[in-house]
Amino acid sequence: MSGIILHQYDSSPFSEKVRVCLGIKGLEWQACDQPVIMPKPDLTPLTGGYRRIPVLQIGADIYCDSALIVREIDRRFPEISLFPTGNRGMANVTELWADRTLFQSAVMAIFGTLGENVDPAFIKDREALSGQPFNVQAMKALVPFTITQIKAQAALLAEQLANGQPFLEGDKPGLADAAAYYNFWFIRTFSPGLVDRFDDLPQLDAWYDRVKAIGHGKRSETSAADALTVAKASTPAATSILPSDSALGGKKVAVAAADYGRDPIIGILAGSTHTSLTIEREDASLGTIKVHVPRLGYSLASV
Ligand SMILES: N[C@@H](CCC(=O)N[C@@H](CS)C(=O)NCC(=O)O)C(=O)O
């Protein structure tokens, strides 16, 4: 058993990125389904307040954010690499583009198309999440432009596939494929008919079908109660602090996503690497938990 518990929901695009990475590696994992909107009473005791999805749990170690989750899965289970040609930097920046630029186009296209059919409770929740109006009318007006932008972004990927290689890095699939793919999966699943095929980018559609066929590895389900029991029975892994973070090491700090869903995680700075920060927390019922977040896109401050 891998010990991987993915707190997720099936319609979550960032979870789909992780599910495809688990598929590439052929790993066994357990899905713990969480609510799509707040409250999330079985998630926040693990994360210390972070509410976004997905969250990876391995014992009493909790990894927030899909960017850190896939990195940690690759570190713990290196057999089939998510960086098949070793071009880590290029794959990481492809992921960053997919998670931000391409994802924004996908959100605009989907919610602009759904328009008035979006559940008001969902809109209210996402406005609280972002601190911004979730203006489906404005998105609706922009759908034609958004489609042109999605296609322009698909064309960038198609150029990478133009030599006939099956995946973005070559013969084997990796993180770059999972990250680009989930956005088209998101659009094609939730706005069928919008861009189901790109008639003049056949290599892009063939690539999409290939990534889809990878699947999600060996998934089973677990309950939130069982996931909490696992955390309670486990001890988090040892961590260390980079010399450059020694001023805050061992001190009480707050880390928070800098873009949206900024609920802070408060605890002791117990670890740091060039790509992650680790907060140790004592939870009244779960005991000691370590929550890991990416450095990129997260703030760190003493409290
Ligand atoms: N940068 C984060 C973004 C995560 C994100 O925005 N997730 C969405 C679901 S796919 C979310 O949390 N929505 C609000 C919610 O589920 O409460 C990541 O890569 O994990």
Side-chain angles (χ1 to χ4, degrees):
M1 281 295 288
S2 66
I4 293 174
I5 299 173
L6 188 68
H7 297 269
Q8 61 119 54
Y9 45 86
D10 285 348
S11 60
S12 152
F14 288 99
S15 301
E16 180 66 7
K17 184 211 304 180
V18 179
R19 294 186 294 249
V20 171
C21 288
L22 291 163
I24 290 170
K25 287 179 171 287
L27 285 168
E28 277 187 9
W29 60 283
Q30 292 183 298
C32 181
D33 284 337
Q34 293 287 347
V36 176
I37 61 175
M38 289 296 271
K40 308 193 186 193
D42 296 321
L43 181 70
T44 48
L46 290 167
T47 61
Y50 181 89
R51 62 159 286 185
R52 301 196 297 191
I53 289 294
V55 168
L56 168 69
Q57 176 186 354
I58 299 186
D61 281 290
I62 304 296
Y63 300 88
C64 300
D65 201 298
S66 65
L68 182 60
I69 292 172
V70 294
R71 186 174 272 275
E72 182 61 17
I73 289 172
D74 200 57
R75 190 186 72 79
R76 289 190 186 232
F77 307 97
E79 287 79 4
I80 300 174
S81 177
L82 293 178
F83 305 96
T85 58
N87 288 312
R88 294 184 72 97
M90 297 306 287
N92 286 328
V93 297
T94 302
E95 180 190 35
L96 207 54
W97 159 77
D99 286 357
R100 300 192 180 184
T101 312
L102 183 55
F103 178 67
Q104 275 316 312
S105 299
V107 167
M108 300 273 286
I110 292 168
F111 291 101
T113 310
L114 288 171
E116 298 74 29
N117 297 323
V118 184
D119 180 355
F122 180 88
I123 293 181
K124 199 162 160 242
D125 180 84
R126 292 317 193 246
E127 287 186 334
L129 175 78
S130 66
Q132 312 266 348
F134 194 88
N135 189 340
V136 286
Q137 288 310 326
M139 292 187 216
K140 198 171 172 177
L142 285 170
V143 167
F145 168 70
T146 304
I147 293 173
T148 67
Q149 295 308 294
I150 291 168
K151 188 163 176 200
Q153 294 178 84
L156 297 178
L157 296 172
E159 280 186 344
Q160 181 70 8
L161 299 163
N163 66 359
Q165 65 188 41
F167 297 105
L168 292 175
E169 283 194 52
D171 289 340
K172 294 181 184 158
L175 172 60
D177 297 285
Y181 165 83
Y182 81 77
N183 286 288
F184 297 102
W185 167 85
F186 191 32
I187 301 164
R188 289 175 174 181
T189 306
F190 296 100
S191 288
L194 202 63
V195 284
D196 289 347
R197 293 273 123 187
F198 296 105
D199 289 334
D200 51 354
L201 299 175
Q203 68 274 44
L204 194 280
D205 288 325
W207 162 84
Y208 179 87
D209 293 342
R210 247 176 251 125
V211 181
K212 192 181 179 82
I214 292 168
H216 293 158
K218 299 178 195 94
R219 168 177 170 163
S220 59
E221 309 300 313
T222 191
S223 67
D226 284 352
L228 292 169
T229 303
V230 168
K232 191 171 181 170
S234 308
T235 305
T239 43
S240 58
I241 305 256
L242 287 179
S244 49
D245 292 318
S246 57
L248 286 178
K251 305 253 166 60
K252 195 172 174 192
V253 295
V255 297
D259 47 2
Y260 56 92
R262 296 188 196 160
D263 315 78
I265 305 163
I266 294 174
I268 303 298
L269 184 67
S272 69
T273 70
H274 288 300
T275 51
S276 67
L277 297 166
T278 300
I279 307 303
E280 186 173 308
R281 301 179 37 252
E282 291 302 320
D283 180 87
S285 63
L286 302 178
T288 307
I289 302 283
K290 281 187 180 171
V291 184
H292 312 263
V293 301
R295 222 180 240 278
L296 186 60
Y298 285 73
S299 62
L300 165 67
S302 62
V303 287

